[in-house]
Amino acid sequence: MAIQRPKGTQDLLPGVVEKWQYLEEQIRKICREYGYEEIRTPMFEATELFQRGVGETTDIVNKEMYTFLDKGDRSMTLRPEGTASVCRAYVENKLYGGPQPVKLYYTGPMFRYERPQSGRFRQFHQFGVEVLGADKPIVDAEVITLVWDLYNRLGLKGLEVHVNSVGCPTCRAEHKIKLQEFLAPRREHLCKDCQERYEKNPLRILDCKNPTCQELTQGAPTTLDTLCEDCGQHFKELQELLSAAEVVYKVDPRLVRGLDYYRKTAFEVLVEDIGAQSAICGGGRYDGLVQEVGGPQTPGIGFAMGIERVLAALNLSGGAPDVETKDYLMLVALGERAQSEGFAIVSRLRKKGLPVSIDLLGRSLKAQLKAADRTKANYAAILGQEELEKGIIILRNLTLGEQEEIALKDLEEYVMRKYREDVKA
Ligand SMILES: [Zn+2]
Ligand SMILES: [Zn+2]
């Protein structure tokens, strides 16, 4: 039996991969314009990093990690997300010692052991941004504006940013008590996961997708009810800045992101989806995380988005522009001597940057011209035994169907001149 790719992974073939490249180019472009630099961290890390950095009570750490022992009996995990690794790199490379803030972005594969029937991938891809070393609301506003701007440039429809403040440890302690008071009489009706969350992290009950839990938490006290003065001021300023940047946003007090290290700002970007809105980006402030992974107390904020999700949204709103691989010239060589002479010509043209192909199968004239048609080449240059002896080559304009004979020695200069004219036009 033929070997198949692992469940939950995908082969990105030509025809599809161009859409990915388009999105990746847009991402790199906007990051450069906003002054964010790329960071590339390892695909696997010590398991402990994610236990500490993502939080031991989260589903990611409890159920979804690809963890293995390496040959030295160390527990390693394929990265399930990007933020913990970026914070680890920030600490390990002492980036906190240089100019602040450090504005970084990453793109690449992430790994989670998800049930394949849920339509999710086990190897999926994320783009994310992290700003470390700055705690002012203007940083939060810049990060949100970057993703807002990206989605608008992509032409996504029905965009809306949802923001909330989940407070800090001080105001969250008060909220926790109020929330537990509210939930106490309802506790036994909550789902099994939420019953466990009740003691450790009741805030996450507000985030539960179980319909019963959602109903039971209607009217529950939100973190906005108990924000301390500092958190309240931060949230107010953030909203003013978002308005100033003309970002369409809405305060959503039920938006509590599932990870333990979030502080103050939490946000999502929603997009029009089939029949409803759905989130295609999530992020927030995580002022406690760098310390959690062994660094100095450092504020941080970031977001991550699933590339697959954004591409799906892009398809709904008209899609990425079609990009195709296209030859300018197809060199049609007939016979062994013509082939080796043709290969020399093609090599020289490629050095000059011309998109050019030569037949690799020893096909007939007809088959080679058909192939040239398929790649939508502008010209075919036909070289056979007879042309070689006369020192000429036939240049056929495939769009107009016209052809002319030119001296073999003049071909390169002639074609390059036409190419430059066509590129300019
Ligand atoms: Zn607070
Ligand atoms: Zn629940």
Side-chain angles (χ1 to χ4, degrees):
M1 222 172 79
I3 297 169
Q4 296 183 319
R5 64 173 186 267
K7 249 186 203 147
T9 64
Q10 47 187 338
D11 298 316
L12 300 172
L13 304 179
V16 170
V17 83
E18 290 79 6
K19 315 264 181 214
W20 285 66
Q21 290 170 342
Y22 168 75
L23 179 55
E24 286 158 5
E25 280 159 21
Q26 296 301 311
I27 285 170
R28 289 182 196 290
K29 184 167 176 289
I30 201 165
C31 285
R32 269 196 302 275
E33 289 172 16
Y34 275 67
Y36 287 66
E37 294 175 299
E38 186 179 7
I39 182 167
R40 300 189 187 190
T41 60
M43 228 72 92
F44 62 95
E45 300 264 8
T47 301
E48 198 192 346
L49 173 68
F50 302 116
Q51 286 168 341
R52 275 158 60 178
V54 178
E56 287 188 270
T57 64
T58 59
D59 282 355
I60 297 177
V61 171
N62 282 331
K63 302 175 190 164
E64 297 169 357
M65 293 211 299
Y66 271 95
T67 298
F68 59 96
L69 285 180
D70 72 6
K71 290 188 197 296
D73 267 344
R74 287 167 290 248
S75 180
M76 294 290 163
T77 295
L78 299 183
R79 62 180 188 192
E81 54 104 61
T83 307
S85 300
V86 170
C87 289
R88 197 247 336 116
Y90 177 83
V91 175
E92 188 166 346
N93 298 285
K94 298 193 171 60
L95 299 183
Y96 51 80
Q100 304 297 303
V102 176
K103 307 202 297 181
L104 301 167
Y105 78 93
Y106 59 84
T107 61
M110 308 288 163
F111 306 86
R112 289 184 201 171
Y113 197 85
E114 305 241 30
R115 280 171 296 114
Q117 65 263 33
S118 64
R120 289 166 182 249
F121 296 105
R122 290 180 176 175
Q123 177 178 327
F124 60 104
H125 300 76
Q126 282 190 336
F127 156 55
V129 150
E130 316 288 355
V131 181
L132 291 152
D135 62 0
K136 297 277 181 284
I138 193 169
V139 189
D140 311 35
E142 179 173 284
V143 163
I144 293 172
T145 308
L146 190 156
V147 55
W148 174 256
D149 199 358
L150 173 67
Y151 288 167
N152 276 289
R153 289 183 194 193
L154 292 171
L156 299 186
K157 301 276 182 337
L159 290 169
E160 192 175 64
V161 174
H162 283 192
V163 284
N164 190 23
S165 176
V166 294
C168 65
T170 314
C171 48
R172 231 166 33 219
E174 193 192 331
H175 177 254
K176 185 175 173 181
I177 294 165
K178 289 208 165 140
L179 185 59
Q180 280 172 332
E181 274 171 18
F182 175 88
L183 290 171
R186 300 164 170 83
R187 186 175 175 180
E188 57 186 295
H189 304 293
L190 294 168
C191 76
K192 220 175 121 271
D193 287 341
C194 283
Q195 299 212 9
E196 276 171 36
R197 288 170 185 148
Y198 180 86
E199 289 298 341
K200 275 192 265 180
N201 192 353
L203 184 58
R204 291 197 52 227
I205 298 176
L206 299 180
D207 200 21
C208 184
K209 299 287 170 272
N210 182 310
T212 312
C213 296
Q214 287 186 347
E215 200 171 306
L216 288 170
T217 53
Q218 285 296 323
T222 71
T223 47
L224 293 183
D225 299 330
T226 48
L227 288 188
C228 67
E229 205 187 320
D230 176 41
C231 291
Q233 184 61 25
H234 189 278
F235 193 46
K236 185 172 157 272
E237 281 176 38
L238 170 63
Q239 292 176 63
E240 286 165 8
L241 290 161
L242 290 178
S243 299
E246 296 176 349
V247 173
V248 176
Y249 73 92
K250 194 166 119 184
V251 174
D252 178 2
R254 287 189 68 95
L255 174 63
V256 290
R257 306 201 34 88
L259 306 183
D260 297 346
Y261 51 68
Y262 280 105
R263 304 277 158 81
K264 291 179 179 160
T265 308
F267 69 94
E268 280 181 348
V269 184
L270 285 85
V271 70
E272 202 172 273
D273 207 341
I274 307 163
Q277 275 185 320
S278 66
I280 50 165
C281 174
R285 181 162 278 289
Y286 49 80
D287 294 348
L289 180 57
V290 172
Q291 210 169 15
E292 191 67 42
V293 300
Q297 166 56 36
T298 308
I301 180 164
F303 64 72
M305 70 178 67
I307 297 282
E308 285 86 351
R309 283 283 299 113
V310 175
L311 285 169
L314 196 52
N315 273 338
L316 281 181
S317 70
D322 283 324
V323 189
E324 45 192 23
T325 310
K326 183 175 179 312
D327 283 326
Y328 187 75
L329 179 77
M330 173 68 101
L331 202 132
V332 174
L334 300 160
E336 230 169 84
R337 262 193 62 213
Q339 196 178 51
S340 92
E341 181 59 34
F343 191 66
I345 295 170
V346 164
S347 303
R348 287 195 294 271
L349 285 171
R350 281 177 170 160
K351 278 183 200 141
K352 292 178 176 147
L354 189 84
V356 51
S357 286
I358 184 167
D359 177 61
L360 301 174
L361 294 169
R363 286 177 288 197
S364 69
L365 173 65
K366 203 176 143 203
Q368 290 194 43
L369 285 174
K370 222 169 140 186
D373 233 32
R374 212 171 29 240
T375 68
K376 301 196 175 71
N378 299 44
Y379 290 93
I382 304 160
L383 187 63
Q385 189 62 31
E386 204 188 315
E387 286 78 19
L388 261 182
E389 277 161 18
K390 287 200 236 165
I392 56 151
I393 190 161
I394 297 166
L395 189 65
R396 184 181 292 185
N397 183 321
L398 295 171
T399 327
L400 303 174
E402 295 163 354
Q403 62 182 44
E404 57 188 320
E405 280 184 12
I406 52 176
L408 194 49
K409 63 177 173 40
D410 295 335
L411 176 75
E412 287 162 43
E413 207 192 303
Y414 187 79
V415 169
M416 287 309 295
R417 194 172 65 237
K418 284 207 173 287
Y419 178 59
R420 279 191 291 266
E421 282 166 14
D422 282 351
V423 168
K424 247 187 239 158

